[in-house]
Amino acid sequence: MALRCILILGLFSGWTAGYKQGDNVTLYVNKVGPYHNPQETYHYYTLPVCRPEKVHHKSLSLGEVLDGDRMAESLYHIRFRENMEKKTLCKLTLSEKQVDELREAIEELYYFEFVLDEIPILGFVGYIEESGFLPHSHKVGLWTHLDFNIEYNGDSVIFANVSVKDVKPVPLEEGAGAAVGGVGVGGGSLTVTHTYSVRWYESNLPHSRRGERLRDYSFFPKTLEIHWLSIINSLVLVVLLLGFVIIILMRVLKNDFARYNVEEEGGCDDLDQGDNGWKIIHTDVFRFPPFKSLLCAVLGVGAQFLTLATAIILMALLGMFNVHRHGAINSAAIVLYALTSCVSGYVSCSFYTQINGQRWVWNIILTSSLFSAPLFITWSVVNSIHWWSGSTQALPATTVLLLLGAWLLVGFPLTVIGGIVGKNRAGGFQAPCRTRNIARQIPTQPWYKHTFVHMAIGGFLPFSAISVELYYIFATVWGREHYTLYGILLCVFAILLSVGACISVALTYFLLSGEDYRWWWRSVLSTGSTGLFIFVYSVFYYRNRSSMSGLVQSTEFFGYSLLTALVFSLMLGSVSFWASLAFIRYIYRSLKMD
């Protein structure tokens, strides 16, 4: 309980700083990294820059640490509403190795992030210019002067950014032995003087709306726009698809009911005399599948992620994830994953008991580790590579212990509690027809009813419903954009679940019509294969829609893309299974009506 309180306080805590004129406004340095690899970040002080003798780090929330933030106090002295011009920050003598290090960083388009009153300030470390073909010119320069432009309203800071307008960069030649105008050079070293200016501007925007100012300004080029035409197109296609499936399926079922209910004399057990189709397998359709425990674990974890995703989207709609709460979504995901573990335990163990499962303890262990084990393995590989490269994305030991404690003290116990409650409250399976002891032989099926064909159809159609929105989500997670269209995201999420359920019902009907009663796992795999399409799209995005490269960024991208595909497979597999089960119960219950 104490751990939960700490996590929730870390997520929702926030306070407004009020300043008086002349008060110190602390500027924190945070991280640097290549422009094209958003998740490859390093501490700002890993570069040869001005730094205090003793570095004091700021206390960070869980979400900030997970986001790779490592804020530390800087040498910049900024006073509230007091302008400064060309104030010296420090004078550095750079060795040849340090100059080469700066050149390499600038050539890789390193940018820095500072934080002033919870406002991120972004800028490039240096300047690079390519010109000419013969002769070719390649110039690299270091920005040694920064202009801070800060907006205020009353006693609060509204917005801040940094510019290098009318500032000439210090050229960094190959090595450090060349003479640089205005900069001391000697003995293979380069001496530079870092300066800064501060200018305050009054703003009419109240502090409560300063997030709007930050959203309107973007250091990075904006590529996301409200894509109404694509959304309307997706909605129309989905409505037509759902209408087609529902109308055709209901007409076919109506004809089936009219044909099957003609001979309703002897009850449900006599319906298989001289007929074929889905009616004839009524004594086998509720035969419990193999690998019961794994199936129930998939259903339980899928229900957990369905609850978690819905809660995240609703919290976003309520405005809990604004631009000033660093890592708020990360913190919310950790807290909700731990708290919703009871959902997975309850759903899994309850259904496992209904289908006569006996090893309920093993079922709970399998449920709790079905996602957490792949997550831990993936994280271990990614974190090790980040640690090897010195990236700030490598989690410190205290954060690892905190997350491990959250799972051991909150997540796993809630899974056990949910499993016990589900086991004790589970009723009967409620099958409309009895299952015979001897299984019926399944006739040879045509190629279009094979598992892989159903997976291709059941995965492609839900993926096509979200493919447009998927690009914007990828551009947010793996790019520089701020996603704010949460209402549209909720609509797309509802469309995804609806399409998955309808397609699963249709494919299940076609399977039963061929007298194949092995629908249990087929219903999970058919729509759950959407995760495979999402992973294939992630490969396409990496190669054709991004400029990411390098071992660090590539490992994180593909590692967590695999986990994302697994989440979608579990979530949609669970939805499609319950839709198919409800459909099968309905048609066989209706078959007995006179």
Side-chain angles (χ1 to χ4, degrees), residues 79 88 168 236 295 303 367 483 492 503 525 543 549 593:
R79 302 290 180 181
T88 301
K168 291 185 178 181
V236 171
L295 175 65
T367 302
Y483 193 93
V492 173
I503 294 301
L525 295 175
R543 291 177 57 88
S549 62
M593 296 179 182

Short mmCIF file of all heavy atoms in Angstrom, two decimals, residues 79 88 168 236 295 303 367 483 492 503 525 543 549 593:
data_model
loop_
_atom_site.label_atom_id
_atom_site.label_comp_id
_atom_site.label_asym_id
_atom_site.label_seq_id
_atom_site.Cartn_x
_atom_site.Cartn_y
_atom_site.Cartn_z
N ARG A 79 17.85 35.22 -12.99
CA ARG A 79 17.04 35.91 -12.00
C ARG A 79 15.70 36.28 -12.61
O ARG A 79 15.63 36.72 -13.76
CB ARG A 79 17.74 37.18 -11.51
CG ARG A 79 19.11 36.92 -10.90
CD ARG A 79 19.01 36.22 -9.56
NE ARG A 79 20.33 35.98 -8.98
CZ ARG A 79 20.53 35.35 -7.83
NH1 ARG A 79 19.49 34.90 -7.15
NH2 ARG A 79 21.75 35.16 -7.36
N THR A 88 29.38 35.81 -18.91
CA THR A 88 30.30 34.69 -19.10
C THR A 88 29.87 33.50 -18.24
O THR A 88 29.64 33.65 -17.03
CB THR A 88 31.74 35.09 -18.75
OG1 THR A 88 32.14 36.17 -19.60
CG2 THR A 88 32.68 33.91 -18.95
N LYS A 168 27.59 33.86 -34.13
CA LYS A 168 28.45 33.09 -35.02
C LYS A 168 29.03 31.90 -34.26
O LYS A 168 29.54 32.05 -33.15
CB LYS A 168 29.59 33.96 -35.55
CG LYS A 168 29.12 35.03 -36.53
CD LYS A 168 30.31 35.79 -37.10
CE LYS A 168 29.84 36.83 -38.11
NZ LYS A 168 30.98 37.57 -38.72
N VAL A 236 -15.88 5.12 -42.68
CA VAL A 236 -16.81 4.63 -43.71
C VAL A 236 -16.51 3.17 -44.05
O VAL A 236 -17.42 2.33 -44.14
CB VAL A 236 -16.72 5.52 -44.96
CG1 VAL A 236 -17.51 4.90 -46.11
CG2 VAL A 236 -17.26 6.91 -44.66
N LEU A 295 -4.49 -21.00 -22.58
CA LEU A 295 -5.61 -20.26 -23.17
C LEU A 295 -6.21 -19.29 -22.15
O LEU A 295 -6.45 -18.11 -22.47
CB LEU A 295 -6.68 -21.23 -23.65
CG LEU A 295 -7.97 -20.60 -24.17
CD1 LEU A 295 -7.69 -19.79 -25.43
CD2 LEU A 295 -9.04 -21.66 -24.43
N ALA A 303 -7.55 -9.34 -21.12
CA ALA A 303 -8.53 -8.51 -20.43
C ALA A 303 -7.84 -7.43 -19.60
O ALA A 303 -8.34 -6.29 -19.49
CB ALA A 303 -9.41 -9.38 -19.53
N THR A 367 -0.28 -16.95 -15.67
CA THR A 367 -0.92 -15.67 -15.99
C THR A 367 -0.03 -14.50 -15.61
O THR A 367 0.11 -13.54 -16.39
CB THR A 367 -2.27 -15.57 -15.27
OG1 THR A 367 -3.11 -16.67 -15.65
CG2 THR A 367 -2.97 -14.27 -15.61
N TYR A 483 1.22 13.82 -29.11
CA TYR A 483 -0.09 13.35 -29.55
C TYR A 483 -1.15 13.96 -28.64
O TYR A 483 -1.10 13.83 -27.42
CB TYR A 483 -0.15 11.82 -29.49
CG TYR A 483 -1.34 11.23 -30.20
CD1 TYR A 483 -1.24 10.83 -31.52
CD2 TYR A 483 -2.56 11.10 -29.56
CE1 TYR A 483 -2.33 10.29 -32.19
CE2 TYR A 483 -3.66 10.57 -30.22
CZ TYR A 483 -3.53 10.16 -31.53
OH TYR A 483 -4.61 9.64 -32.19
N VAL A 492 -10.94 5.29 -32.66
CA VAL A 492 -10.20 4.27 -33.40
C VAL A 492 -10.07 2.99 -32.57
O VAL A 492 -10.16 1.87 -33.09
CB VAL A 492 -8.82 4.81 -33.81
CG1 VAL A 492 -7.96 3.71 -34.43
CG2 VAL A 492 -8.98 5.97 -34.79
N ILE A 503 -15.19 -9.78 -37.15
CA ILE A 503 -14.43 -10.68 -38.02
C ILE A 503 -14.27 -12.04 -37.36
O ILE A 503 -14.36 -13.09 -38.02
CB ILE A 503 -13.07 -10.06 -38.36
CG1 ILE A 503 -13.25 -8.80 -39.21
CG2 ILE A 503 -12.19 -11.06 -39.10
CD1 ILE A 503 -13.99 -9.05 -40.50
N LEU A 525 -6.32 -16.90 -32.34
CA LEU A 525 -5.25 -16.66 -33.30
C LEU A 525 -5.70 -15.82 -34.49
O LEU A 525 -4.90 -15.05 -35.04
CB LEU A 525 -4.70 -17.99 -33.81
CG LEU A 525 -3.99 -18.87 -32.78
CD1 LEU A 525 -3.62 -20.21 -33.39
CD2 LEU A 525 -2.76 -18.18 -32.23
N ARG A 543 12.31 1.45 -41.67
CA ARG A 543 13.10 1.55 -42.90
C ARG A 543 12.70 2.73 -43.77
O ARG A 543 13.54 3.33 -44.44
CB ARG A 543 12.96 0.26 -43.71
CG ARG A 543 13.63 -0.94 -43.08
CD ARG A 543 13.40 -2.19 -43.92
NE ARG A 543 13.87 -2.01 -45.29
CZ ARG A 543 15.09 -2.25 -45.70
NH1 ARG A 543 16.00 -2.69 -44.83
NH2 ARG A 543 15.44 -2.08 -46.96
N SER A 549 18.96 4.80 -36.59
CA SER A 549 20.08 3.93 -36.95
C SER A 549 20.87 3.61 -35.69
O SER A 549 20.64 4.20 -34.63
CB SER A 549 20.97 4.60 -38.00
OG SER A 549 21.53 5.79 -37.48
N MET A 593 -34.97 -23.63 -29.59
CA MET A 593 -36.27 -22.97 -29.44
C MET A 593 -37.27 -23.51 -30.45
O MET A 593 -36.93 -23.81 -31.58
CB MET A 593 -36.11 -21.46 -29.61
CG MET A 593 -35.23 -20.83 -28.54
SD MET A 593 -35.06 -19.07 -28.80
CE MET A 593 -33.95 -18.65 -27.43
#
